């Protein structure tokens, strides 16, 4: 029989994208049950062209479920993923609760699909959207050249901070549009007043060198996620990784400027060949024709887009790249759906 799927957090920003993706991809699931907080129970959402009523999160909600995809805050996953497992489901979790647990694989199907089968806790973690927005391209280059160091700067879209992030950017854009703001220190900050939303500084007409929470020695949680998750996914626990994470006034699609150093000498032609052939990657790299990925061209698409490929001027073993990926699709919902498909294939033998 076809395995039964539960989507936990079906009404959220990523949950909604996930329902769209489940409706577009091969129909491998039996029942698709939608689960959310009691507040959202009773709402009707469309998946696979049919209206499905949302049920409240409870132990019974997992009765008969084979695979449960979670997109909820860390503390909700921490509490409820083990409940779903105890009811017999394999959990694919998109929170940060389990990503670095050594007994939980952190899976990107194009890079380390084989790790999904070994899951002592019955849970598979989905990486953070910033890591996911670049790692498929880096995994392909690593397989050929052997990665030895990574230095990245992110340009993160506001939807990474959820619906509140999107609402904040839209409100601030309305406040500054048609004005002369952005020309004297603090004028934008005064204009947006106390409507900073989830961001520590104005995001309209601005860039903000901060995402996540403050960690030791001035690092942000987002920067440490990029470091720790890249190491785990690539199976390189000692890889030197430095990230600077920056929020930009883009609705959806994270971008990253990447300096990647390898064990072996690289060429642009070689890197182009690898990237053009890599599943899940689109090479868009012809600067003479103005061709390179930008978030507003990439949003709503599935692949990781790569352009501006250059060999470092001072290091024949290093490449510079610009990478864009939709943070709600491959960065979250699509990767979750792909992991679910791996598990479903395994369950069906
Ligand atoms: C962000 N990566 O963009 C986070 C969301 N998981 O804020």
């Amino acid at each position: 029989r076809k395995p039964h799927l539960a989507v936990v957090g079906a009404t959220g920003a990523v949950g909604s994208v996930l329902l769209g993706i489940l409706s577009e991809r091969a129909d491998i699931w039996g029942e698709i049950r939608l689960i959310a907080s009691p507040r959202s129970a009773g709402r009707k959402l469309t998946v696979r062209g049919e209206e499905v009523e949302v049920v409240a999160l409870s132990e019974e909600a997992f009765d008969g479920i084979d695979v449960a995809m979670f997109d909820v805050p860390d503390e909700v996953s921490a509490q409820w993923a083990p409940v779903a497992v105890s009811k017999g489901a394999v959990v694919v979790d998109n929170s940060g609760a389990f990503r670095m647990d050594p007994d939980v694989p952190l899976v990107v199907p194009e890079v380390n699909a084989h790790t999904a089968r070994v899951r002592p806790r019955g849970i598979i973690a989905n990486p953070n959207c910033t890591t996911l927005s670049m790692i498929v391209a880096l995994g392909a280059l690593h397989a050929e050249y052997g990665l030895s160091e990574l230095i990245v700067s992110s340009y993160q879209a506001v939807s990474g901070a959820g619906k509140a992030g999107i609402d904040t950017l839209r409100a601030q854009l309305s406040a500054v549009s048609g004005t002369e703001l952005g020309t004297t220190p603090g004028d934008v900050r005064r204009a947006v007043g106390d409507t900073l939303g989830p961001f520590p500084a104005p995001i309209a007409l601005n860039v903000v060198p901060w995402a996540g929470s403050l960690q030791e020695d001035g690092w942000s949680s987002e920067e440490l996620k990029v470091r720790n998750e890249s190491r785990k996914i690539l199976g390189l626990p000692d890889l030197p990784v430095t990230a600077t994470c920056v929020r930009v006034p883009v609705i959806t699609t994270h971008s990253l400027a990447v300096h990647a150093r390898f064990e072996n000498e690289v060429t642009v032609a070689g890197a182009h060949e690898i990237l053009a052939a890599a599943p899940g990657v689109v090479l868009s790299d012809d600067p003479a024709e103005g061709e390179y990925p930008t978030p507003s061209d990439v949003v709503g698409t599935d692949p990781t887009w790569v352009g501006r490929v250059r060999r470092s001027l001072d290091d024949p073993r290093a490449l510079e790249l610009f990478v864009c990926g939709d943070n709600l699709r491959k960065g979250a919902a699509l990767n979750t759906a792909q992991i679910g498909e791996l598990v479903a294939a395994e369950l069906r033998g």
Side-chain angles (χ1 to χ4, degrees):
R1 70 170 173 84
K2 288 182 171 183
H4 299 314
L5 173 68
V7 176
V8 186
T11 55
V14 173
S16 317
V17 174
L18 182 54
L19 300 192
I21 286 173
L22 291 169
S23 307
E24 291 160 13
R25 292 178 73 84
D27 188 10
I28 60 162
W29 302 106
E31 182 189 353
I32 297 184
R33 194 174 303 165
L34 307 184
I35 302 177
S37 64
R39 193 166 26 93
S40 299
R43 269 180 66 184
K44 292 205 170 87
L45 299 175
T46 303
V47 60
R48 296 185 298 191
E50 285 168 20
E51 278 204 334
V52 178
E53 188 168 317
V54 175
V55 300
L57 181 56
S58 70
E59 195 173 326
E60 299 68 53
F62 295 103
D63 284 345
I65 292 297
D66 301 294
V67 176
M69 299 177 179
F70 276 66
D71 201 279
V72 292
D74 294 4
E75 61 281 8
V76 181
S77 279
Q79 182 184 347
W80 287 95
V83 174
V85 172
S86 75
K87 302 281 291 191
V90 175
V91 168
V92 184
D93 181 47
N94 190 33
S95 81
F98 302 102
R99 287 182 187 137
M100 298 315 297
D101 183 326
D103 289 329
V104 174
L106 183 63
V107 176
V108 182
E110 295 87 342
V111 181
N112 64 349
H114 62 284
T115 62
R117 283 181 172 263
V118 185
R119 41 174 193 265
R121 298 192 62 179
I123 300 170
I124 300 171
N126 195 59
N128 178 40
C129 50
T130 311
T131 312
L132 263 175
S133 298
M134 65 170 186
I135 204 73
V136 176
L138 289 173
L141 292 168
H142 168 58
E144 183 70 23
Y145 292 135
L147 195 60
S148 64
E149 187 180 5
L150 201 52
I151 300 173
V152 307
S153 298
S154 72
Y155 304 77
Q156 293 180 221
V158 296
S159 61
K163 190 173 173 307
I166 300 174
D167 292 346
T168 299
L169 174 57
R170 292 219 164 107
Q172 291 185 2
L173 286 176
S174 305
V176 301
S177 122
T179 70
E180 304 273 305
L181 290 165
T183 51
T184 59
D187 61 356
V188 175
R189 195 181 278 272
R190 285 188 294 278
V192 304
D194 57 6
T195 63
L196 293 180
F199 308 117
I203 189 66
L205 305 182
N206 210 8
V207 297
V208 181
W210 194 259
S213 58
L214 179 62
Q215 305 294 307
E216 227 172 285
D217 295 329
W219 293 98
S220 72
S221 56
E222 192 75 0
E223 290 158 352
L224 299 184
K225 284 179 190 178
V226 170
R227 171 180 170 87
N228 295 331
E229 294 178 18
S230 298
R231 288 171 154 194
K232 182 167 176 177
I233 296 160
L234 296 169
L236 298 171
D238 300 318
L239 182 72
V241 182
T242 301
T244 300
C245 290
V246 180
R247 191 77 65 184
V248 296
V250 165
I251 297 287
T252 295
T253 293
H254 286 355
S255 307
L256 295 109
V258 178
H259 170 87
R261 186 163 201 274
F262 299 91
E263 307 285 353
N264 302 300
E265 276 204 19
V266 295
T267 61
V268 169
H272 273 177
E273 206 175 305
I274 294 163
L275 292 166
V281 176
V282 173
L283 179 68
S284 170
D285 193 15
D286 188 354
E289 295 296 325
E291 192 186 301
Y292 25 72
T294 73
S296 69
D297 294 318
V298 159
V299 62
T301 67
D302 286 346
T304 301
W305 294 69
V306 186
R308 302 297 326 280
V309 180
R310 289 147 290 153
R311 188 164 84 161
S312 303
L313 291 172
D314 302 307
D315 186 348
R317 296 183 180 195
L319 288 170
E320 316 297 329
L321 324 162
F322 191 73
V323 184
C324 291
D326 185 315
N327 53 301
L328 302 180
R329 293 182 73 86
K330 184 60 184 173
L334 173 62
N335 202 68
T336 301
Q338 288 174 300
I339 296 172
E341 288 167 7
L342 287 180
V343 177
E346 184 192 317
L347 294 179
R348 298 182 75 182

